[in-house]
Amino acid sequence: MPDADAHPLLDVLLAGGSRADRLTHLRTLPAREGVTTDWPTWADPALVEAYRTLGVERPWVHQATAATAAWEGHHVALATSTGSGKSLAFWLPALTAIGRTLPPQQRGAVLYLSPTKALAADQLAALERVLAAMPDDAGRDLRVATCDGDTPTEERRWVQDYADAVLTNPDFLHFSLLPNHRRWSRFLRALRYVVVDEGHTYRGVFGAHVSLVLRRLARLVEHYRGGALTFVVASATSAEPAASAARLLGMGPDDVVAITEDASPSGRRTVALWQPPELASFGFSRSGADDVAADGDPWALPDPLDASHSEAEQTAVVTADGAADHPRRSATAEVADLLADLAAHGARTLAFTRSRRGAESVAQTARDHLRPISTELSQRIAAYRGGYLPEERRELEQAIRTGALLGLATTNALELGVDISGLDAVLIAGWPGTRMSLWQQAGRAGRAGAEGLVAFVAREDPLDTYLVTHPEAVFDAPLEATVFDPTNRYVLAPQLCAAAQEVPLRTEDLDRFGDPEQVRMLLDELVEAGALRRRPSGWYWTHAQPAAGMADLRGSGGRPVRVVEAATGRLLGTVDAGSADGQVHDGAVYVHQGTTFVVDHLDLEDRVALVVRRDVDHGTWSREVMTVAIDETAELREREWGPISWGVGPVEVTSQVISFERRRLPDMQVLGTEQLDLPERSLATKAVWWSVPEFVLRAAGLDADVVPGALHAAEHASIGLLPLLATCDRWDLGGVSTELHADTGEATVFVYDAYPGGAGFAERGYELGATWLRATRDAIAACPCDHGCPACVQSPKCGNYNAPLDKAAAVTLLDAVLGHAPTS
């Protein structure tokens, strides 16, 4: 049991000690006093007065330091904790620079970019409160507005002609503002500051695209007025914030000033690591119903519309031979219990889940638990997620602020900057992907100097299992570096075309986009392919269609497939292109808001899946075959651990969904298998791989019968653990294992980036190979299951029904490999 000095709400989680066995670790983080300083002398006095009116008598030291650096023209990377007031640090210099007393043609301007429309709307509301507080109606002279794909034409024209501050997202910048820069010329000539908020979210393919979009923006501003921009990148506390911001902006780390010392106050925070019990030992005090997955599908793939891709919260665990093996209670069911108990004790709580479906499930289950106690109390629990109308979101935010709501189950929509403070507790159902996200979410508890309680509840997943049994990996390990690669040719090529359409590319522009020689070679290829035309003065886009449409900013893999009810023509939803073959093939069961449909026909040409309403007692699971070929013509990085070979570089991944099984729910009995006739899919990407010669396998006692299961289990677990080292989710990765690969001639495990051209994750695995495989080995060995389960070697997205898998042989294999690893 925890000591008497622990957070008073901890006993609520422990239920007086009856849940004590679920607490794997407890850590108390000390409180921090806030340190203020004087307002900068250069700041607009009216703006300073407005902040004082709103209760900011003096700024925190990091706010004033960052604001002054930006005012002096330095690029700034501001990386401090949730609720530390980063917005004041960038609005103070930006709004002062607008120069409200100057005529419109001499004004400065500011562009604010956030990864979501919702966050831009929240910033606008906060900014309008500041302007309204300025004395003598001074704020009325500052014209601020949001502008995105939903903005009506007339309103957009007003923004183009008059706005001083425009709040938007990278997608609008790429698809609309930059291609139509002539219409935005007034704004671009005035632009002085660009704020990139939540900079840590720009990773992988999305980060690479945004990096190049920002370079295109800077190029256009220089084209219009010849002056340079000042960038402020606001981020969660992260590793090497200056280097990450510099890579995002296309400059050297020495060109960016990093502000990392957080001077805002923070209350004492108690953090609990929590593992749900095994179902075999779990007594259902209320009913077993709360432990059924929201859609009845324990192995469902993530909803592509979720705020973050996640594995389903499963409650039925199936091993390779179809038998249950020590299943644990789902994280969502556990968090729903904890949320209900905290609400019953009057604690205001946020419960973070990995999916929209999970948020709805946690909220509904918590309400069901509270209803027998008090109907009024059950009505003080709600869900919050993407897809709600803006007015609904504002009402929920206000309700949790005022205490009208006691509990809010949410996706990571409330991780990014929305002003929610004064909360007693935060529950986190499943690892949110990175330590940065974990501490962003945890920072919602105990803000503004109050004491807070945080509980991270593990899912059945190798990474979650590892973390709750290795607390040092949560509390003592450094934060992740943001990983993305702007030189990825699959990202860079369409971005060069977009830049050439805006203003023809000149030789002197090339170093902006990377190594000039590499960029020139890629431009030559684009000319040869007919995408660009080369003339003595530069490279030109000469096609009628906009070049911006060539780029898939968020790496979705192409146009989504629409799911349409055949009888009515009603659009039920969409499935991302990369998942369509496996999720909405002919005969697949599709679940929509608790209602089941069966896919009648998948039309790949028109990107439509026609479904019919049907009550069924089964789910469907597709089987996919996959091969990986190393691109021997490309430059590869290779190394050796004695007889063990490592490599990283370009590969071609070929996959095909060939069949599907019908399994009865909930016992998962196989009812039948049907073949499918779907095309092969090819993905040119980057992979990391390690190969083991036969004599090493035999010396370890691994004969030919167990090697396939050992490799397959190690592959699954390593995919689950790589997010510990790279800023990715396991859904950003894929893998293949084989006892004899044609290119290596040995038993080989591949892990690849699930994005065209790669996203930087495979390189991260290569760089930290020993650390990665040791964590993988420990996670498998520490799992108490007998034969392998989702907490160690099973994968919810395995195309081969998690067979063959051999948990014990995987540990033996990894021990043999790590026996040759370097000691440093």
Side-chain angles (χ1 to χ4, degrees):
M1 292 292 291
D3 60 45
D5 195 40
H7 194 288
L9 288 175
L10 183 61
D11 194 53
V12 175
L13 297 189
L14 297 175
S18 64
R19 297 186 187 131
D21 59 332
R22 307 178 199 183
L23 180 66
T24 63
H25 186 78
L26 193 69
R27 183 78 61 94
T28 299
L29 307 180
R32 180 183 64 232
E33 295 290 333
V35 181
T36 63
T37 188
D38 294 332
W39 290 95
T41 56
W42 50 261
D44 183 341
L47 193 56
V48 170
E49 185 61 31
Y51 278 114
R52 283 179 168 149
T53 300
L54 295 174
V56 184
E57 189 60 35
R58 287 161 56 87
W60 307 122
V61 169
H62 69 269
Q63 292 175 319
T65 303
T68 297
W71 177 256
E72 293 173 351
H74 301 290
H75 304 299
V76 175
L78 175 58
T80 53
S81 65
T82 307
S84 59
K86 290 187 281 285
S87 60
L88 183 150
F90 52 73
W91 287 125
L92 187 66
L95 294 181
T96 298
I98 287 175
R100 57 188 174 81
T101 60
L102 298 176
Q105 64 271 21
Q106 296 181 31
R107 288 179 184 268
V110 57
L111 179 68
Y112 169 91
L113 297 172
S114 70
T116 65
K117 296 177 184 178
L119 182 52
D122 291 327
Q123 278 288 327
L124 177 64
L127 191 53
E128 287 177 335
R129 288 194 293 271
V130 173
L131 300 183
M134 292 178 73
D136 303 323
D137 296 327
R140 292 183 179 178
D141 289 334
L142 295 173
R143 297 164 297 194
V144 302
T146 57
C147 193
D148 53 45
D150 297 330
T151 305
T153 301
E154 287 302 315
E155 187 175 337
R156 188 177 301 186
R157 287 173 181 163
W158 182 91
V159 174
Q160 291 166 340
D161 292 339
Y162 300 107
D164 299 313
V166 176
L167 295 83
T168 187
N169 53 68
D171 308 80
F172 182 80
L173 185 61
H174 168 70
F175 287 108
S176 185
L177 194 155
L178 298 182
N180 297 294
H181 60 89
R182 291 173 183 82
R183 189 69 188 86
W184 289 85
S185 59
R186 178 209 63 88
F187 180 77
L188 292 171
R189 286 191 184 95
L191 189 58
R192 299 293 186 273
Y193 286 92
V194 177
V195 176
V196 183
D197 206 356
E198 305 296 349
H200 63 286
T201 64
Y202 300 115
R203 61 176 180 81
V205 167
F206 185 41
H209 274 297
V210 171
S211 175
L212 294 167
V213 168
L214 293 174
R215 299 176 202 198
R216 286 163 48 204
L217 170 66
R219 176 171 174 258
L220 278 179
V221 170
E222 290 185 14
H223 170 75
Y224 276 104
R225 67 175 176 85
L229 289 169
T230 297
F231 286 92
V232 179
V233 179
S235 168
T237 304
S238 61
E240 302 176 344
S244 296
R247 191 184 320 116
L248 188 67
L249 303 175
M251 54 187 63
D254 293 341
D255 297 324
V256 178
V257 175
I259 309 295
T260 59
E261 292 296 324
D262 193 336
S264 65
S266 175
R268 189 180 65 160
R269 193 169 289 128
T270 300
V271 183
L273 303 186
W274 193 275
Q275 188 168 38
E278 293 181 2
L279 286 175
S281 63
F282 178 71
F284 291 96
S285 58
R286 298 182 176 101
S287 73
D290 63 338
D291 277 87
V292 176
D295 58 1
D297 183 352
W299 282 96
L301 287 168
D303 180 349
L305 298 180
D306 289 347
S308 65
H309 293 310
S310 66
E311 296 172 23
E313 293 83 0
Q314 64 268 3
T315 57
V317 180
V318 181
T319 60
D321 60 5
D325 189 358
H326 301 293
R328 289 190 179 273
R329 194 172 190 232
S330 72
T332 49
E334 189 80 353
V335 164
D337 271 10
L338 301 179
L339 177 60
D341 290 347
L342 287 166
H345 285 78
R348 280 193 283 173
T349 307
L350 279 184
F352 284 99
T353 68
R354 296 297 310 276
S355 68
R356 297 179 181 186
R357 180 174 54 211
E360 296 285 359
S361 177
V362 166
Q364 184 58 51
T365 304
R367 285 192 291 261
D368 291 344
H369 291 342
L370 290 169
R371 195 169 292 110
I373 301 171
S374 165
T375 301
E376 187 274 335
L377 191 59
S378 70
Q379 294 172 346
R380 298 178 70 184
I381 303 292
Y384 181 105
R385 59 173 178 78
Y388 286 167
L389 296 174
E391 52 268 26
E392 292 177 294
R393 290 162 53 92
R394 299 292 89 77
E395 289 175 5
L396 289 167
E397 292 162 13
Q398 183 62 17
I400 193 71
R401 286 189 192 105
T402 62
L405 281 177
L406 284 174
L408 209 54
T410 177
T411 61
N412 62 357
L414 282 181
E415 175 187 326
L416 300 178
V418 180
D419 184 18
I420 302 291
S421 59
L423 298 173
D424 300 300
V426 164
L427 305 172
I428 302 172
W431 183 247
T434 64
R435 296 181 189 85
M436 288 184 290
S437 289
L438 178 78
W439 297 119
Q440 280 283 94
Q441 294 178 4
R444 296 293 180 189
R447 294 175 72 179
E451 188 173 2
L453 174 67
V454 179
F456 162 53
V457 180
R459 295 174 300 157
E460 284 209 293
D461 174 271
L463 179 53
D464 287 35
T465 302
Y466 181 87
L467 291 169
V468 295
T469 56
H470 294 76
E472 69 280 0
V474 176
F475 296 100
D476 305 323
L479 294 171
E480 303 88 351
T482 305
V483 178
F484 59 90
D485 179 14
T487 66
N488 178 341
R489 59 187 293 108
Y490 292 87
V491 174
L492 181 55
Q495 291 289 343
L496 289 174
C497 290
Q501 183 180 21
E502 291 152 7
V503 177
L505 284 167
R506 316 294 185 195
T507 300
E508 57 268 24
D509 293 326
L510 302 190
D511 62 350
R512 185 186 298 276
F513 297 99
D515 178 79
E517 288 304 313
Q518 297 296 320
V519 174
R520 183 185 293 273
M521 290 172 60
L522 184 53
L523 287 170
D524 290 342
E525 292 179 29
L526 290 169
V527 170
E528 186 175 351
L532 295 177
R533 180 172 295 178
R534 179 74 163 101
R535 292 175 179 167
S537 57
W539 290 265
Y540 288 74
W541 175 265
T542 58
H543 305 281
Q545 68 270 32
M550 296 174 61
D552 182 9
L553 240 62
R554 297 185 185 255
S556 61
R559 290 188 300 121
V561 171
R562 294 164 293 152
V563 181
V564 176
E565 187 174 18
T568 64
R570 178 169 63 113
L571 178 65
L572 297 178
T574 60
V575 177
D576 65 280
S579 302
D581 287 4
Q583 291 190 43
V584 289
H585 53 76
D586 293 3
V589 174
Y590 178 82
V591 182
H592 178 77
Q593 295 185 353
T595 303
T596 55
F597 298 83
V598 175
V599 178
D600 183 56
H601 179 60
L602 171 60
D603 188 327
L604 292 172
E605 185 174 344
D606 291 336
R607 316 298 296 167
V608 173
L610 296 175
V611 302
V612 294
R613 170 75 181 90
R614 190 176 301 162
D615 291 321
V616 295
D617 64 351
H618 65 271
T620 52
W621 282 258
S622 61
R623 180 168 183 264
E624 184 178 39
V625 294
M626 189 174 298
T627 60
V628 174
I630 299 171
D631 184 355
E632 302 284 0
T633 66
E635 182 178 348
L636 306 176
R637 295 170 62 193
E638 296 176 295
R639 66 164 178 253
E640 292 182 350
W641 292 353
I644 308 300
S645 300
W646 279 82
V648 64
V651 297
E652 185 84 11
V653 180
T654 303
S655 61
Q656 184 180 24
V657 176
I658 61 170
S659 64
F660 71 96
E661 284 185 351
R662 292 187 176 90
R663 294 183 188 174
R664 187 171 63 196
L665 299 173
D667 63 9
M668 306 297 288
Q669 178 180 337
V670 177
L671 302 176
T673 301
E674 290 193 25
Q675 301 301 307
L676 292 169
D677 183 19
L678 289 166
E680 287 187 344
R681 307 289 184 186
S682 293
L683 172 70
T685 184
K686 289 185 179 177
V688 55
W689 60 89
W690 46 273
S691 301
V692 188
E694 185 177 1
F695 75 85
V696 173
L697 298 173
R698 300 297 171 260
L702 297 169
D703 59 36
D705 291 338
V706 302
V707 168
L711 292 166
H712 196 193
E715 170 213 325
H716 281 182
S718 62
I719 290 172
L721 267 293
L722 185 53
L724 188 68
L725 308 174
T727 48
C728 67
D729 189 275
R730 75 178 299 156
W731 295 94
D732 296 322
L733 305 167
V736 172
S737 56
T738 176
E739 62 270 30
L740 183 62
H741 191 267
D743 294 331
T744 66
E746 297 174 336
T748 305
V749 172
F750 290 87
V751 175
Y752 62 85
D753 297 346
Y755 296 99
F761 309 137
E763 283 93 338
R764 188 71 170 162
Y766 179 82
E767 292 163 1
L768 299 171
T771 303
W772 177 27
L773 289 196
R774 285 192 185 101
T776 300
R777 185 264 178 212
D778 290 348
I780 300 173
C783 186
C785 72
D786 296 329
H787 305 296
C789 69
C792 57
V793 299
Q794 290 186 355
S795 169
K797 60 176 186 171
C798 178
N800 290 296
Y801 308 140
N802 284 287
L805 291 175
D806 192 321
K807 174 185 175 180
V811 174
T812 301
L813 170 66
L814 291 168
D815 282 338
V817 171
L818 287 166
H820 297 281
T823 56
S824 60

